[in-house]
Amino acid sequence: MTGKSELPATFGAALAHHARERPAQVALRHGDHVTDYATLDAHASQIANGLRALGLTKGDRIAYVGKNSDQAVELALGVARAGMVFVPVIWRLAPAEVDAILEDAAPGALFVEPAFAARAVAPEHVVAMGDDFAAWRDAQPDTMPDVAVDERDVVLQLYTSGTTGKPKGVMLTHANGIRSRANQIAAGVEWLLAEPGDAAILAMPYGHIGGVGVAFGAVNSGQELIVHAEYDAAQVIATVAEHRVKRLFLVPAAIGLLLAHPDAADADFSSILTLSYGASPIPLPLLQQAVERIGCGFVQVYGMTETWGSVVALPPEDHLPGREAKMTAAGKALPGVELRIQDEEGRVLPPGTIGEVAIRSPNNMAGYWARPEETARTLSADNWLRTGDAGLLDEEGYLFIQDRIKDMIITGAENVYPAEVESAIYSHPAVADVAVIGVPDPKWGEAVKAVVVLHAGAEADAAAIIAHARTRIAGFKCPKTVDFIAALPRNPSGKILRRALREPFWAGHERRVN
């Protein structure tokens, strides 16, 4: 195992290190296309030099719209080597949502798959992925670009919806993503650590930290990254068996789809040492089914985009029979991470008391792009990050998530804020008032539900409301069901009482997250 002092401080340096140590080892595998580490390193330098030839400089934003691909991974590493900031956009978003992100990020260049090329907002430089991208890349020199990149430099800007529905750019540095491995090696937390040459699968959407973050992490570890354009249970099952994948990350909804697939019955999962899962809570029966069928060590991870993903983990030993009381926990703080539970004023609460979960770690974001006030509300001067999750710490330091202080809904590991869904629905001419809540769903964890009040004399059914929303926001944000009532419950100041709307659907559940 590599010592902490020897580990590179930036992703560009990590790629160069592995290109020297294992030049012929497979770095990327996408369909029939295979790229070794020496070639990936050369491509990253070519891309960095190409961006500089466009007149772009350190700190400029470079956007990508498309699915997972080997070229998308090369692009991220080239941007990192150039000291620029990679902005991958979730391809499932509605066109207007993509354009809002591009307008906010103001990228110096946009790289886009042809299927997503029609944009109302586009920078001066637009490059189509595929043959055009390869030709542009290969016309550049593969010499190391003359730019100094520091671990404190921002390398990644991922967009999350805000409570007002406006997207926020989470700025993440090289250090945010690269230090965790060093800390885990130093602490001997080997159940999350991959070795050089181990195969990893990139199947989660690229615009999430569980997508592009996996790509960066694989290069940091010197792994072989097998890229799937999008999640397909049959493809994951086949890849695990063919390439003897040792460590796998899936969101709970993806685990459910995998176990339900006909190929899972006879699948060979014997190579898997650990399966990490996170991004949304997992129902205990699904977890127990997965443990029994896959038969590997399971690791629950908890974090958020603002912490470059995982900062808390529930290790394999807490997934064994007799540990059921801990299987509903998010886990314990990973090395280098501090946790506390605090009240609204930031005062620390004692063990067993429910409050807001706060995190301090090297993973904490640099802030929100061009939003200093929102940054100040989320990140304190001494680097404590408010998560918006309600939880408690027990006497042993296990974190249990109880509810969400903020109204965010997590459906299939996608974050949905009621405000943006309500805005889309409210523009329907028949709608007088609307509230959006998350309700339990056996497949997706939570499902989006709209509670609608119609104008007097107006008519609209659930199908019409949902169809209207689909013209304005991404499909995963649209309500799956719609209830119609005479009036929404509100407090004396007029605020919607979402908890009162949610309560009938969550009765009988220990937690108000699923």
Side-chain angles (χ1 to χ4, degrees):
M1 188 75 72
T2 305
K4 179 178 179 180
S5 61
E6 301 171 20
L7 294 176
T10 70
F11 288 105
L15 174 57
H17 167 79
H18 293 299
R20 289 191 303 269
E21 294 293 317
R22 47 193 61 85
Q25 180 193 298
V26 173
L28 297 176
R29 192 184 298 274
H30 182 51
D32 296 330
H33 193 206
V34 177
T35 306
D36 62 31
Y37 264 96
T39 304
L40 179 58
D41 185 58
H43 284 176
S45 290
Q46 289 175 302
I47 292 166
N49 288 322
L51 293 171
R52 288 163 60 84
L54 294 176
L56 303 173
T57 59
K58 183 178 177 179
D60 281 342
R61 269 61 186 165
I62 309 299
Y64 171 72
V65 181
K67 298 183 180 182
N68 303 339
S69 70
D70 53 351
Q71 289 186 346
V73 176
E74 290 183 352
L75 176 61
L77 293 165
V79 171
R81 179 158 286 173
M84 299 178 193
V85 182
F86 189 51
V87 186
V89 182
I90 300 170
W91 61 268
R92 295 173 62 196
L93 296 177
E97 294 174 302
V98 175
D99 287 332
I101 289 173
L102 295 179
E103 185 173 10
D104 184 78
L110 169 64
F111 293 79
V112 59
E113 285 192 342
F116 308 102
R119 300 260 63 84
V121 175
E124 178 183 354
H125 305 293
V126 179
V127 178
M129 303 304 285
D131 292 342
D132 287 355
F133 172 81
W136 170 81
R137 177 199 66 204
D138 294 344
Q140 315 302 325
D142 63 3
T143 53
M144 189 69 72
D146 183 19
V147 57
V149 183
D150 186 85
E151 67 170 6
R152 294 165 295 183
D153 291 332
V154 176
V155 66
L156 191 58
Q157 187 163 306
L158 297 179
Y159 275 81
T160 65
S161 295
T163 53
T164 62
K166 295 181 180 180
K168 297 181 297 185
V170 179
M171 296 186 294
L172 299 166
T173 68
H174 289 265
N176 292 155
I178 215 163
R179 285 190 186 176
S180 294
R181 179 171 172 80
N183 289 337
Q184 289 166 25
I185 289 172
V189 183
E190 297 193 358
W191 33 265
L192 274 180
L193 287 170
E195 293 286 353
D198 286 354
I201 298 176
L202 169 59
M204 297 294 100
Y206 208 50
H208 289 284
I209 195 62
V212 68
V214 167
F216 274 121
V219 171
N220 189 29
S221 304
Q223 291 179 269
E224 173 184 330
L225 185 64
I226 303 166
V227 183
H228 296 175
E230 55 186 303
Y231 179 74
D232 178 89
Q235 191 178 12
V236 169
I237 291 169
T239 298
V240 167
E242 180 181 358
H243 296 283
R244 309 303 296 163
V245 174
K246 294 180 181 178
R247 303 185 193 279
L248 188 64
F249 171 80
L250 294 174
V251 301
I255 294 174
L257 292 172
L258 182 138
L259 294 177
H261 196 279
D263 293 351
D266 300 317
D268 180 5
F269 295 125
S270 61
S271 66
I272 301 178
L273 299 178
T274 55
L275 191 156
S276 301
Y277 61 95
S280 64
I282 189 169
L284 184 57
L286 174 59
L287 176 57
Q288 291 171 324
Q289 180 189 359
V291 170
E292 180 179 356
R293 173 63 193 90
I294 299 175
C296 66
F298 276 70
V299 178
Q300 177 166 223
V301 291
Y302 166 83
M304 52 200 303
T305 304
E306 287 87 342
T307 61
W308 195 295
S310 309
V311 287
V312 172
L314 188 72
E317 57 264 30
D318 284 324
H319 289 77
L320 299 176
R323 299 292 289 174
E324 286 79 8
K326 299 299 185 185
M327 287 175 75
T328 57
K332 286 185 170 183
L334 285 169
V337 176
E338 298 174 76
L339 296 176
R340 73 184 187 193
I341 306 299
Q342 60 187 40
D343 63 15
E344 291 183 3
E345 283 71 43
R347 293 184 292 251
V348 180
L349 299 174
T353 306
I354 296 176
E356 184 174 11
V357 180
I359 298 165
R360 183 160 65 179
S361 85
N363 305 59
N364 285 0
M365 67 174 180
Y368 295 116
W369 167 249
R371 283 173 170 74
E373 292 181 359
E374 291 200 47
T375 299
R377 282 195 293 268
T378 303
L379 197 60
S380 71
D382 56 351
N383 201 36
W384 281 100
L385 188 144
R386 304 182 66 155
T387 66
D389 286 333
L392 62 85
L393 287 168
D394 69 10
E395 295 285 353
E396 299 177 77
Y398 284 86
L399 174 64
F400 291 79
I401 302 299
Q402 303 296 310
D403 202 344
R404 276 188 292 279
I405 294 171
K406 54 193 177 187
D407 294 322
M408 185 182 74
I409 301 161
I410 302 180
T411 177
E414 296 280 6
N415 295 343
V416 177
Y417 280 88
E420 58 183 328
V421 186
E422 289 164 356
S423 178
I425 293 172
Y426 193 77
S427 61
H428 190 288
V431 173
D433 207 354
V434 58
V436 168
I437 59 173
V439 298
D441 184 274
K443 182 176 182 181
W444 303 114
E446 291 182 275
V448 180
K449 174 182 280 291
V451 183
V452 172
V453 178
L454 297 177
H455 286 294
E459 294 184 1
D461 60 12
I465 298 295
I466 294 170
H468 179 80
R470 281 186 176 276
T471 65
R472 287 160 171 78
I473 53 177
F476 67 83
K477 298 179 182 179
C478 294
K480 300 296 183 288
T481 56
V482 180
D483 289 354
F484 295 91
I485 61 176
L488 295 177
R490 296 179 181 273
N491 67 12
S493 64
K495 183 178 180 180
I496 296 173
L497 299 175
R498 297 185 196 280
R499 187 172 292 273
L501 292 172
R502 296 175 74 214
E503 187 59 34
F505 301 99
W506 290 92
H509 288 254
E510 292 184 6
R511 300 177 295 173
R512 291 315 194 247
V513 290
N514 197 36

